[in-house]
């Protein structure tokens, strides 16, 4: 979770806190579309049938979003490039036909010992080759341009939805098939957008080539007459029939042999993603692992994860071996078949050598066109698996987005406070995505300049309450309201340290150049990190270099730069010793005397830096706010106990912890 949120939510709660443009604004070229309607499985289906239906829908879900690249709001160059690619495919088939005719001419000339024609055709061969090479090269460039732009467009769209309204965080809180979203967005989405362009271009090229050269085979081969048991049998278009039968045999063999390819490829991709995640997890938690001496345990976990990768690769290798048996055998046999079929006609003199070679060339092209599935089945299976993985992530995002637009699960509303209050929680209840209550019926009103300490035992829902205030936890009821035009800044227990220079880390989430180097150094000095002033322009792995206490000090330096109106501290001093904690809190009070503070902490020493303390108590059915007392006598009267504890008879400053005086069920 990022530790800075600088803009309060809008009245309708549709915008997350943030210090810059929303993902939708940064992805201005992508039209934001509503999620498709949820599809409920047919209860009469068997588990196997339901799984097959789910897989079919995943491919449909991928295309619902992916095809918008060619629609309104998509890439303006999508159709021009696509039409250009189709034109070049047609031109390439034309050059193939030209080379096919050249084969017939050159071999006929050689058979006749016609030197002049041989020399002429040799000269003609050069422009044919140059033209073919030029068209194929340009075709590759345009094809890869479409792939690159499509991937860019769809990646931007998925990332925009992933980052919007804290969904990247909320995915960790709900069930579903969306593990390792970073691998799905980076690797699976790349394959999911590259392969279809290759497939469509290949299918169109194969169709045009097959259509063209079937005519050539029919024209050249004619009919074949065979004497059988004293009768003569005439087979019209025998070369065409043979090509079709040959392709049918190889393609059906590939389909049978590779029927498990999709499942195995999908399992392999998932295993690879889990192995990458485990390695990343070790790197990100290297210090803790090293201090605890957990290398052996991590090694065992890595060995187990990698063993699964090897197992899936072994299964995939078996599938490749089977498909290679068919594809390589077909590649060796295909050139020989037309020569053997044409040999009788050539020997009897009804077919020239040039016609035999032309037929052999045309047969190979037709066989290649018909055998497109044989050559591309493994990659088609890989695409199938990747498209399903990215579609699974899309479906999880769909669910979150539909929940944001519906009250069926209960959503926490966000709006503006009335009067001078800086922050108010009105009948706020926080629940899990399945409806289980975590915090119930919380009513709090915080005035400008108040410093409120939220206390309670572990598991009482304090951090969950903070997430609800920040907008990251959407489930529940009631409302969270901020004073209009006031800026909120969140400091979590583990401050986020971005990659790059130390200057960028201190300025985050603002831009590094938003403050001068002297301002950055002054902020670091005030939090006791002045010894880092000479390194503010140094690009280093600061997240690994800085200690936990240094990271928390750096987070306080951000407060001095951003100067927000409301600060929410979630165990933000937990890594500091008591003396350093006192210095940080006093520094905030001295440097930002008008700021409103909401702190979540366990340490009793922090009461000295707060004017008010509210206590959450864990109970069956959800934690409740049971106490609201003033730590510093206030000049201004407020009517909070009656709002919080629903008991107007209690005197100001009293404490209530029994069940009868708490907020009613």
């Amino acid at each position: 979770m990022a530790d800075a949120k600088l803009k309060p939510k809008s009245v309708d709660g549709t915008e997350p806190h943030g210090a810059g443009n929303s993902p939708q604004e940064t992805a201005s070229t992508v039209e934001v579309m509503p999620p498709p309607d949820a599809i409920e499985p047919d209860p009469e289906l068997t588990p196997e049938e339901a799984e097959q239906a789910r897989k079919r829908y995943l491919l449909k879900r991928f295309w619902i979003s992916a095809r918008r690249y060619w629609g309104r709001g998509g890439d303006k160059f999508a159709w021009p490039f696509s039409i250009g690619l189709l034109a070049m495919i047609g031109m390439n088939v034309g050059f193939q036909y030209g080379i096919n005719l050249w084969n017939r001419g050159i071999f006929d000339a050689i058979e006749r010992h016609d030197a002049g024609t041989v020399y002429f055709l040799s000269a003609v061969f050069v422009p044919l080759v140059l033209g073919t090479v030029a068209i194929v090269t340009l075709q590759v460039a345009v094809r890869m341009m479409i792939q690159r732009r499509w991937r860019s467009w769809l990646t931007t769209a998925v990332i925009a939805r992933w980052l919007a309204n804290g969904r990247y965080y909320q995915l960790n809180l709900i069930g579903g098939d969306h593990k390792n979203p970073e691998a799905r967005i980076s690797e699976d989405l790349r394959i999911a957008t590259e392969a279809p362009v290759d497939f469509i271009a290949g299918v169109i090229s194969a169709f045009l080539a097959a259509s063209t050269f079937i005519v050539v085979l029919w024209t050249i081969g004619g009919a074949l007459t065979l004497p059988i048991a004293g009768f003569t049998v005439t087979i019209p278009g025998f070369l065409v029939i043979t090509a079709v039968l040959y392709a049918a045999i190889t393609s059906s063999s590939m389909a049978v042999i590779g029927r498990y390819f999709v499942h195995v490829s999908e399992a392999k991709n998932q295993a690879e993603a889990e192995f990458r995640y485990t390695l990343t997890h070790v790197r990100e938690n290297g210090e803790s692992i090293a201090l605890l001496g957990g290398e052996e345990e991590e090694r065992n976990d890595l060995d187990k994860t990698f063993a699964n990768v090897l197992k899936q690769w072994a299964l995939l290798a078996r599938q490749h071996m089977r498909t290679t048996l068919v594809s390589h055998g077909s590649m060796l046999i295909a050139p020989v078949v037309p020569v053997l079929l044409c040999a009788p006609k050539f020997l009897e003199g009804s077919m020239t050598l040039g016609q035999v070679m032309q037929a052999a060339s045309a047969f190979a092209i037709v066989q290649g066109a018909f055998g497109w599935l044989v050559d591309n089945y493994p990659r088609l299976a890989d695409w199938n698996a990747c498209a399903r993985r990215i579609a699974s992530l899309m479906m999880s995002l769909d669910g979150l987005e539909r929940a944001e637009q519906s009250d069926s699960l209960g959503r926490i509303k966000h709006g503006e406070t009335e009067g001078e209050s800086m922050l108010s929680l009105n009948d706020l209840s926080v629940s899990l995505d399945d409806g289980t209550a975590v915090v119930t019926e919380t009513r709090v009103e915080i005035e400008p300049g108040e410093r409120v300490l939220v206390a309670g035992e572990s598991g009482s829902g304090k951090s969950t309450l903070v997430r609800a205030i920040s907008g990251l936890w959407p489930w529940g009821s009631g409302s969270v309201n901020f004073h209009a035009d006031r800026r909120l800044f969140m400091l979590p227990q583990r401050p986020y340290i971005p990659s790059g220079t130390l200057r960028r880390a201190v300025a985050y989430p603002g831009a590094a150049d938003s403050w001068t180097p002297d301002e950055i150094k002054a902020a670091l000095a005030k939090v006791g990190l002045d010894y880092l002033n000479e390194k503010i322009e140094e690009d280093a792995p600061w997240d690994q270099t800085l200690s936990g206490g240094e990271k928390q000090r750096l987070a306080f330096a951000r407060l001095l730069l951003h100067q927000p109106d409301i600060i929410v501290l979630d165990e933000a001093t937990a890594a500091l010793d008591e003396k350093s904690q006192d210095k940080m809190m006093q520094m905030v009070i001295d440097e930002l005397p008008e700021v409103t503070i909401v702190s979540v902490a366990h340490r009793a020493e922090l009461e000295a830096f707060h004017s008010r303390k509210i206590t959450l108590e864990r109970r069956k059915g959800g934690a409740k706010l049971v106490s609201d007392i003033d730590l510093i006598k206030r000049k201004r009267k407020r009517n909070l106990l009656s709002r919080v504890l629903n008991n107007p008879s209690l005197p100001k400053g009293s404490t209530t912890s029994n069940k009868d005086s708490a907020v009613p069920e």
Side-chain angles (χ1 to χ4, degrees), residues 456-462 571 602 618:
E457 62 182 350
S458 297
S460 59
K462 302 186 301 299
E571 301 284 1
H602 289 90
R618 183 171 56 185

Side-chain angles (χ1 to χ4, degrees), residues 598-617:
V598 179
S599 296
V600 172
H602 289 90
R603 292 180 176 177
E605 299 87 356
L606 285 170
E607 292 185 8
F609 302 97
H610 293 82
S611 58
R612 181 177 163 200
K613 177 182 178 181
I614 61 178
T615 304
L616 288 173
E617 182 177 288

Side-chain angles (χ1 to χ4, degrees), residues 320-599:
H320 274 290
M321 290 170 60
R322 295 169 182 170
T323 54
T324 300
L325 180 67
V326 177
S327 61
H328 193 69
S330 173
M331 181 185 68
L332 295 175
I333 297 173
V336 179
V337 172
V339 175
L340 296 178
L341 291 175
C342 293
K345 285 198 167 191
F346 175 74
L347 294 175
E348 70 181 19
S350 60
M351 183 178 286
T352 65
L353 178 61
Q355 289 176 319
V356 173
M357 301 310 297
Q358 184 184 14
S361 174
F363 188 92
I365 294 174
V366 171
Q367 177 55 36
F370 282 145
W372 181 88
L373 177 63
V374 175
D375 297 329
N376 291 274
Y377 195 87
R379 194 178 177 199
L380 181 62
D382 196 30
W383 170 81
N384 206 318
C386 291
R388 287 175 181 172
R389 279 174 53 79
I390 193 65
S392 296
L393 175 60
M394 290 177 176
M395 287 182 64
S396 295
L397 294 174
D398 292 343
L400 289 174
E401 193 169 345
R402 279 191 294 267
E404 292 165 8
Q405 302 167 2
S406 171
D407 295 328
S408 60
L409 292 178
R411 303 286 298 185
I412 298 171
K413 295 181 175 61
H414 295 266
E416 296 180 358
T417 56
E418 298 179 359
E420 296 299 319
S421 297
M422 293 294 287
L423 170 64
S424 67
L425 311 180
N426 298 332
D427 294 321
L428 179 65
S429 293
V430 184
S431 61
L432 302 178
D433 64 322
D434 61 2
T436 304
V438 179
V439 179
T440 62
E441 299 177 0
T442 302
R443 301 179 187 178
V444 175
E445 186 172 328
I446 299 175
E447 299 175 6
E450 275 197 294
R451 301 190 297 274
V452 180
L453 177 65
V454 181
E457 62 182 350
S458 297
S460 59
K462 302 186 301 299
S463 295
T464 304
L465 184 63
V466 168
R467 296 185 182 106
I469 293 174
S470 69
L472 289 178
W473 195 289
W475 303 290
S477 61
S479 63
V480 177
N481 303 307
F482 294 94
H483 192 290
D485 302 322
R486 292 298 187 266
R487 299 183 304 158
L488 172 71
F489 205 98
M490 306 287 300
L491 263 68
Q493 183 175 351
R494 297 177 58 188
Y496 172 65
I497 308 297
S499 60
T501 64
L502 182 62
R503 180 178 178 181
R504 183 192 177 210
V506 179
Y508 191 85
D513 55 2
S514 297
W515 293 272
T516 65
D518 289 339
E519 290 173 322
I520 299 287
K521 292 178 180 179
L524 288 174
K526 289 178 181 178
V527 298
L529 296 178
D530 49 309
Y531 55 87
L532 296 175
N533 280 343
E534 300 305 318
K535 299 181 179 181
I536 64 170
E537 300 297 345
E538 184 177 328
D539 191 337
W542 295 109
D543 186 52
Q544 304 296 324
T545 304
L546 299 177
S547 67
E550 288 173 323
K551 292 177 184 178
Q552 290 194 336
R553 287 173 180 269
L554 186 146
F556 277 92
R558 292 172 179 169
L559 290 178
L560 303 180
L561 296 178
H562 289 281
Q563 297 188 347
D565 303 293
I566 309 172
I567 302 172
V568 179
L569 309 176
D570 184 9
E571 301 284 1
T573 60
L576 299 174
D577 59 81
E578 184 177 339
K579 183 178 180 181
S580 298
Q581 173 185 265
D582 293 348
K583 286 183 178 180
M584 289 300 101
M585 295 302 299
Q586 191 61 50
M587 181 271 299
V588 172
I589 294 172
D590 293 340
E591 295 292 332
L592 304 172
E594 302 297 325
V595 74
T596 301
I597 299 176
V598 179
S599 296

Side-chain angles (χ1 to χ4, degrees), residues 102 105-106 109 114-128:
W102 181 88
I106 192 72
D114 186 351
T117 303
V118 170
Y119 295 145
F120 171 75
L121 291 176
S122 298
V124 170
F125 184 69
V126 175
L128 279 175

Side-chain angles (χ1 to χ4, degrees), residues 36 57-65 161 391 394-395 398:
Y57 177 75
L58 285 175
L59 293 181
K60 178 181 178 181
R61 177 62 190 90
F62 171 77
W63 285 114
I64 287 174
S65 293
R161 296 186 65 212
M394 290 177 176
M395 287 182 64
D398 292 343

